[in-house]
Amino acid sequence: MKMKNILPLMSVAALAAFVSCSKWTESENLEYHKTPAEEHPEEYAAYLSSIRNYKATEHRVMLVTMEGTSKFPSRQNQHLISMPDSADYILMKNAFDLHETLAGEIKEVYDTKRTKSLVYVDFALANEAWTEYNDAREEAGKPEPTAEEIKKFFADQAEKQLDLCNRYGFFGIVVSFLGNTSTQQMQFSLEGFLTPVKSWIEDNSDKLVFLRGSVRNINTFALKQEGLKFNFAEESTYHIIAGGENSSVTPVNQHIARTLGTLDGEEQVPQDRVILELTVPSEAIPEQKGFTPYEAATKWLLPTLGLNPDGTPMENFFPKTKFTPCGLCVENAHDDYFDLDMIYKRIRTGITAFAN
């Protein structure tokens, strides 16, 4: 995937100087500060035009994940429009009863920056609801649920999440499953969950679909089920693989290969659409776990493609992986907003590393 060096009017690095006013991150500062659009309207309009042009080209992508909220978004990092401008996709978790301000920003962030927002359809949320429901059943002395009861419960949970996409105008869904199918309970649960997802994908061919987590498990299981027989991986634009706490290329690549099913020559899913998911420090976990965005770009993304950080071919490069990395995803992007030097400092340095 060859990167074209664009952003002629303002690079990602220049953007940092343009909008990284540290006062935005100081909670005690209550003075009004003009936005870039207000202070330099013509320059900012030209900058946004360069961002839109950049996203229209073939390039490695950056995905950022944030939390939705039903309450008024009172902090900058709760807004879609405040996510890094050069991010290609915003993935939103927990979008139930999304506040109207955020719902309106889905269209605004696309119109101004061509950033597409997708909503999570998360098996983990359905499983949490099941645990609560089943615990209540057991306390009430009810018999063990049947396979059909389990399937229906998970199908209902999936449908509630799928409904959010069209209700709020998201550009697609992120189907997230981080488990396996080693138990019968999990098999019933996943079949129930994936059945409405399959129908939704078939009925919404104009929408994007990303797979996150155990891509091989999702796909292999779905292909084996008589009621599904559906290739989710073929329908997916990107496969998002969580990188975990590894900060070394070899174990990360081994993990990706296992997740995709590429070990020992076995290829169960398309190999040309891999996104590595990272985390950044947060208030709860202040230390960096695994690669930073910059490290992932310079140590994993570009070298795996056989490129130096400046985009030139590496000498004596012999590919050891069968998959093609397409970009990075920051799983908790909202936590990268608060930095006294630059908002979204880690994400921006990552984007700069592979976009220039």
Side-chain angles (χ1 to χ4, degrees):
M1 183 176 292
K2 185 176 181 182
M3 177 66 196
K4 297 180 180 177
N5 184 14
I6 48 180
L7 296 181
L9 297 170
M10 186 178 297
S11 67
V12 177
L15 171 61
F18 200 93
V19 300
S20 65
C21 176
S22 63
K23 294 180 181 179
W24 289 7
T25 65
E26 296 175 3
S27 59
E28 71 274 11
N29 191 333
L30 302 179
E31 297 178 10
Y32 174 74
H33 296 278
K34 288 185 178 181
T35 66
E38 294 171 328
E39 187 127 16
H40 306 283
E42 293 184 3
E43 292 90 337
Y44 190 66
Y47 161 71
L48 288 179
S49 177
S50 72
I51 285 290
R52 293 191 295 270
N53 291 338
Y54 163 63
K55 292 180 183 178
T57 66
E58 183 182 5
H59 63 280
R60 290 176 289 280
V61 299
M62 175 64 81
L63 288 62
V64 294
T65 304
M66 63 176 290
E67 295 280 346
T69 178
S70 59
K71 299 178 181 179
F72 177 78
S74 57
R75 294 175 294 168
Q76 284 292 331
N77 68 336
Q78 292 180 303
H79 288 271
L80 288 87
I81 202 67
S82 295
M83 285 286 129
D85 297 342
S86 292
D88 296 273
Y89 300 97
I90 298 171
L91 316 181
M92 182 174 286
K93 300 179 179 179
N94 300 316
F96 296 104
D97 299 318
L98 193 63
H99 193 275
E100 61 182 6
T101 299
L102 295 181
E105 288 182 6
I106 295 171
K107 182 177 186 300
E108 180 184 1
V109 77
Y110 176 75
D111 289 344
T112 57
K113 306 174 187 177
R114 291 298 183 266
T115 305
K116 295 182 178 180
S117 303
L118 290 79
V119 65
Y120 260 60
V121 178
D122 195 350
F123 181 88
L125 284 181
N127 204 40
E128 288 175 9
W130 169 258
T131 299
E132 183 178 346
Y133 168 78
N134 199 41
D135 286 349
R137 284 176 56 98
E138 291 179 357
E139 289 180 7
K142 294 185 177 181
E144 287 291 314
T146 66
E148 291 308 312
E149 287 175 325
I150 296 173
K151 292 177 185 178
K152 184 179 185 308
F153 183 93
F154 278 84
D156 290 344
Q157 292 294 315
E159 287 174 353
K160 289 178 183 178
Q161 296 187 53
L162 289 164
D163 179 63
L164 302 175
C165 183
N166 291 326
R167 183 195 306 179
Y168 295 119
F170 285 100
F171 283 79
I173 60 174
V174 181
V175 182
S176 179
F177 175 70
L178 298 176
N180 57 56
T181 56
S182 59
T183 67
Q184 195 171 56
Q185 152 79 39
M186 187 61 77
Q187 292 169 16
F188 296 150
S189 303
L190 188 57
E191 182 179 353
F193 188 80
L194 291 179
T195 298
V197 175
K198 170 195 173 183
S199 297
W200 187 93
I201 292 173
E202 292 174 334
D203 294 340
N204 293 271
S205 59
D206 59 325
K207 299 289 188 179
L208 294 168
V209 178
F210 297 174
L211 292 186
R212 174 182 179 269
S214 307
V215 178
R216 176 180 60 177
N217 290 345
I218 294 173
N219 214 55
T220 302
F221 178 79
L223 289 172
K224 289 181 178 179
Q225 300 307 303
E226 195 61 41
L228 285 171
K229 296 291 185 184
F230 191 72
N231 194 322
F232 283 92
E234 286 288 354
E235 299 294 326
S236 173
T237 301
Y238 294 118
H239 305 328
I240 304 170
I241 312 298
E245 298 183 6
N246 285 315
S247 56
S248 179
V249 171
T250 297
V252 167
N253 284 345
Q254 290 174 340
H255 168 66
I256 293 172
R258 284 192 295 269
T259 304
L260 295 178
T262 58
L263 293 181
D264 301 322
E266 180 187 16
E267 295 185 5
Q268 299 181 10
V269 301
Q271 306 298 300
D272 59 350
R273 52 196 78 177
V274 174
I275 301 290
L276 180 63
E277 182 182 273
L278 320 164
T279 60
V280 293
S282 64
E283 184 177 354
I285 306 176
E287 66 274 13
Q288 176 68 48
K289 299 290 187 179
F291 283 131
T292 66
Y294 178 80
E295 290 170 339
T298 56
K299 294 181 180 180
W300 177 79
L301 179 60
L302 297 177
T304 305
L305 290 170
L307 299 175
N308 292 306
D310 63 0
T312 58
M314 294 176 67
E315 295 182 5
N316 302 318
F317 176 75
F318 298 96
K320 296 181 180 180
T321 57
K322 294 185 178 181
F323 60 84
T324 302
C326 297
L328 305 174
C329 175
V330 177
E331 190 268 341
N332 59 327
H334 51 280
D335 287 319
D336 197 34
Y337 183 88
F338 299 102
D339 190 290
L340 292 178
D341 296 326
M342 181 195 306
I343 59 174
Y344 297 116
K345 181 177 180 178
R346 297 170 185 83
I347 294 173
R348 282 182 172 159
T349 54
I351 295 174
T352 302
F354 66 70
N356 290 324

